[in-house]
Amino acid sequence: MVSYEYVLGGVLVSLLGSIFFMIIHATLNGKKQFKASSGVKSKGFERMPPNGEFQREMQEKSADVVIVGAGVAGAALAYTLAKEGRRIHVIERDLSEPDRIVGELLQPGGYLKLIELGLEDCANESIDAQKVFGYALYKDGKDTKLSYPLENYSSDVAGRSFHNGRFIQRMREKAANLSNVKLEQGTVTTLIEEKGTIKGVIYKNKAGEDLRTYAPLTIVCDGCFSNLRKSLSAPKVESPSCFIGLVLENCDLPHANHGHVILGDPSPILFYPISSTQVRCLVDVPGTKVPSIASGEMVKYLKTKVAPQIPPQLYNAFMAAVNKGNIRTMQNKSMAANPLPIPGAILLGDSFNMRHPLTGGGMTVALSDIVLLRNLLRPLRDLNDAPALCNYLESFYTLRKPVSSTINTLAGALYQVFCASPDPARQEIREACFGYLSLGGICSYGPVSLLSGLNSRPLHLFLHFFAVAIYGVGRLMFPFPSPKSMWLGARLILSASGILFPIIKGEGVRQMFFPATMPGYYRSPPLH
């Protein structure tokens, strides 16, 4: 028996070694991430003639930075850069309180970034925010609790869940209260470009007037439906699924202060608190279409397909929410960051990078990016040398990779693993993932630390993902292997590779695992 274990262990170690060799090989043959800005088309820009009128307007500019959008990323960025002494002009399409069904769960890693930015009071009792200490995972009537590894942090550090609109409004208020922030309602239509450099934006204000504003740096963070994205990146937006959103009133979650994930059919169902009296329910539907609300198909789907999969403690509240009829839907989007560095402008937030919202990692990535960008800009007094600044900020795209690629890859991979599938190999991966996480110890602690944004090491993600696959193979081989189980085990490994490697390729193998080999990693601040 002992010799059998040694043989199996040797096989598995060899397998991991082969996989890692594949990553190194892909890295050495990878394409460069950054593309020269000279190849950018003029679409989306308004070119300005180099005349005296333009020079006069530039001299009269009242901002150091123009920020397009005042959502989570834009509002947090405006406050942060203003606290650094920059003059900020923020233009937001709608300054009324947003009403969204996502952006409601901030992971502990994101909360730590909020503390770094001095914005932690925006996610406290003033908006009835709830602390979140981990997840409960349900499958086929069984459940396991996965706690965040918070032992080494202060008692205030945890996840936070809340109404997204309340959170955004608090950050907008904090930013607007600073004397060097101008927060204005308006719709940005065009980036102003002169000789390959972005000089500002054209926007329509609340009164309908067409105006221009100029600044040495324009930061676009106008969300997942950005109309400026194509001017600053080469996006490939995917739509893996839709969310159906409900609010459950006055009910207690089976595990208090935890998110709940039901590994349902065809895909996950989520529950988490958004206030002291409300629980958000998100039902995932793969693809781009959901049952029609108007025809009654939606209610029928929720009552006949989804309700039987809901934990008994939440069933009555779920049915009451369905009968109440306040059902919302939203298309989920995923998009790897693929910037086209252009002097004078930069993308941030969901306009730049998106991942499946299953793991609630979007705000953590955005806040981490803001901390990084603030630190990169901190030594610069003058932002007017746009080409030098653009060259310097290429480091941003490399330095953000450990956090963003870990969260993005985990979100994409977990979504595929958690979805039901007729493929026996995919079924085994799903079973293995639930079993692996239920083992506790490092098998629980490790993946949850990655999910929470507290661990940003892509290699740890890679190792845990294939540890799940190997655990699944071990389950198939126990107590004795058979030709059928060996074949299914091989398919399981291939299926796991087919899930993970395309996501890693999209993130950039070299940037993700070997960032120190990227030229941008060594950029120094321009001297003035």
Side-chain angles (χ1 to χ4, degrees):
M1 185 67 181
V2 173
S3 61
Y4 168 75
E5 291 176 350
Y6 279 122
V7 170
L8 181 59
V11 171
L12 298 181
V13 168
S14 300
L15 178 62
L16 279 178
S18 300
I19 292 169
F20 197 69
F21 174 78
M22 290 167 63
I23 284 185
I24 295 174
H25 180 73
T27 300
L28 295 176
N29 291 281
K31 297 181 180 180
K32 291 184 179 180
Q33 173 74 8
F34 298 110
K35 301 179 182 180
S37 61
S38 59
V40 180
K41 296 179 181 179
S42 61
K43 183 180 179 181
F45 301 140
E46 174 166 314
R47 300 191 181 279
M48 298 297 297
N51 55 28
E53 177 64 19
F54 175 69
Q55 294 298 329
R56 184 182 66 80
E57 288 185 284
M58 284 296 290
Q59 289 167 5
E60 293 177 357
K61 65 181 180 292
S62 59
D64 299 309
V65 180
V66 170
I67 297 175
V68 182
V72 171
L77 183 66
Y79 177 82
T80 302
L81 295 184
K83 292 291 285 186
E84 295 286 303
R86 312 282 186 189
R87 296 167 301 163
I88 310 298
H89 186 182
V90 189
I91 305 169
E92 162 59 35
R93 182 182 59 82
D94 185 357
L95 287 174
S96 60
E97 184 174 307
D99 183 15
R100 304 182 67 209
I101 64 172
V102 292
E104 298 172 318
L105 178 62
L106 179 64
Q107 297 288 1
Y111 186 73
L112 287 173
K113 297 300 179 183
L114 210 61
I115 293 173
E116 274 195 72
L117 298 171
L119 289 167
E120 68 274 17
D121 59 336
C122 295
N124 61 13
E125 297 80 6
S126 66
I127 63 167
D128 200 14
Q130 304 297 299
K131 286 188 175 182
V132 178
F133 297 108
Y135 284 86
L137 198 61
Y138 287 75
K139 186 180 187 299
D140 299 331
K142 300 176 290 184
D143 68 279
T144 185
K145 189 163 77 169
L146 311 171
S147 298
Y148 293 137
L150 301 172
E151 298 81 7
N152 297 325
Y153 299 93
S154 70
S155 59
D156 184 55
V157 176
R160 291 291 193 282
S161 54
F162 38 67
H163 282 271
N164 171 268
R166 296 177 187 174
F167 179 54
I168 288 174
Q169 288 301 86
R170 284 286 292 117
M171 289 200 293
R172 286 175 178 175
E173 289 168 11
K174 285 202 69 167
N177 285 336
L178 298 176
S179 60
N180 51 336
V181 173
K182 178 183 179 182
L183 179 57
E184 182 179 7
Q185 183 163 308
T187 302
V188 174
T189 57
T190 312
L191 297 172
I192 301 170
E193 182 262 340
E194 183 196 46
K195 296 181 179 178
T197 297
I198 304 301
K199 300 291 187 178
V201 301
I202 299 173
Y203 68 102
K204 191 180 292 290
N205 69 4
K206 194 173 182 180
E209 301 169 306
D210 286 316
L211 301 175
R212 300 164 186 256
T213 185
Y214 301 95
L217 180 62
T218 299
I219 303 178
V220 175
C221 33
D222 54 347
C224 62
F225 300 107
S226 172
N227 65 339
L228 302 177
R229 176 189 293 134
K230 290 183 179 179
S231 301
L232 302 171
S233 71
K236 183 182 178 183
V237 181
E238 299 177 347
S239 301
S241 69
C242 298
F243 269 159
I244 302 169
L246 299 162
V247 174
L248 280 56
E249 303 279 356
N250 299 308
C251 66
D252 295 324
L253 290 165
H255 299 275
N257 297 103
H258 282 66
H260 291 57
V261 182
I262 292 87
L263 302 190
D265 180 14
S267 50
I269 305 164
L270 310 179
F271 294 91
Y272 51 86
I274 54 174
S275 75
S276 54
T277 60
Q278 296 174 310
V279 169
R280 168 66 71 195
C281 171
L282 293 173
V283 179
D284 186 85
V285 179
T288 58
K289 294 183 179 180
V290 295
S292 168
I293 295 176
S295 69
E297 284 298 310
M298 176 67 80
V299 169
K300 181 181 177 182
Y301 177 82
L302 292 173
K303 288 185 174 181
T304 60
K305 179 72 173 178
V306 179
Q309 304 180 66
I310 303 299
Q313 302 95 318
L314 297 172
Y315 181 85
N316 290 338
F318 177 82
M319 292 299 287
V322 174
N323 290 329
K324 188 176 180 180
N326 187 18
I327 301 170
R328 307 270 302 279
T329 63
M330 190 200 77
Q331 179 70 57
N332 294 323
K333 296 182 181 295
S334 177
M335 182 185 73
N338 191 12
L340 299 172
I342 299 175
I346 191 169
L347 273 171
L348 209 65
D350 282 351
S351 58
F352 175 48
N353 186 201
M354 293 180 280
R355 74 292 308 148
H356 194 283
L358 171 69
T359 59
M363 290 188 291
T364 299
V365 172
L367 293 171
S368 176
D369 282 351
I370 290 167
V371 170
L372 174 58
L373 185 60
R374 176 201 65 182
N375 294 343
L376 288 172
L377 293 177
R378 181 170 279 169
L380 305 181
R381 292 186 178 182
D382 184 5
L383 303 178
N384 282 292
D385 189 345
L389 180 62
C390 180
N391 182 63
Y392 169 57
L393 288 181
E394 283 197 7
S395 62
F396 168 76
Y397 302 116
T398 300
L399 297 173
R400 68 182 297 271
K401 274 295 177 180
V403 173
S404 65
S405 63
T406 299
I407 291 174
N408 294 345
T409 304
L410 185 62
L414 270 186
Y415 177 70
Q416 293 187 56
V417 169
F418 282 177
C419 284
S421 172
D423 182 357
R426 292 288 290 271
Q427 293 173 19
E428 287 295 333
I429 294 176
R430 199 185 196 207
E431 289 282 352
C433 187
F434 183 84
Y436 183 83
L437 292 171
S438 300
L439 292 174
I442 187 63
C443 299
S444 168
Y445 174 98
V448 174
S449 68
L450 293 161
L451 177 72
S452 64
L454 298 171
N455 179 355
S456 58
R457 296 179 178 87
L459 183 59
H460 288 193
L461 167 61
F462 178 85
L463 293 175
H464 276 291
F465 189 84
F466 278 99
V468 169
I470 290 167
Y471 172 79
V473 172
R475 290 173 69 253
L476 290 170
M477 300 300 170
F478 184 82
F480 298 105
S482 66
K484 182 179 178 180
S485 66
M486 292 175 67
W487 170 242
L488 186 55
R491 286 185 58 202
L492 189 156
I493 294 294
L494 288 173
S495 184
S497 301
I499 290 172
L500 192 65
F501 287 153
I503 302 174
I504 290 176
K505 182 181 179 183
E507 289 293 320
V509 177
R510 184 178 171 192
Q511 296 92 329
M512 186 170 173
F513 290 97
F514 310 102
T517 67
M518 296 295 297
Y521 191 83
Y522 303 99
R523 294 283 192 264
S524 298
L527 299 176
H528 294 289

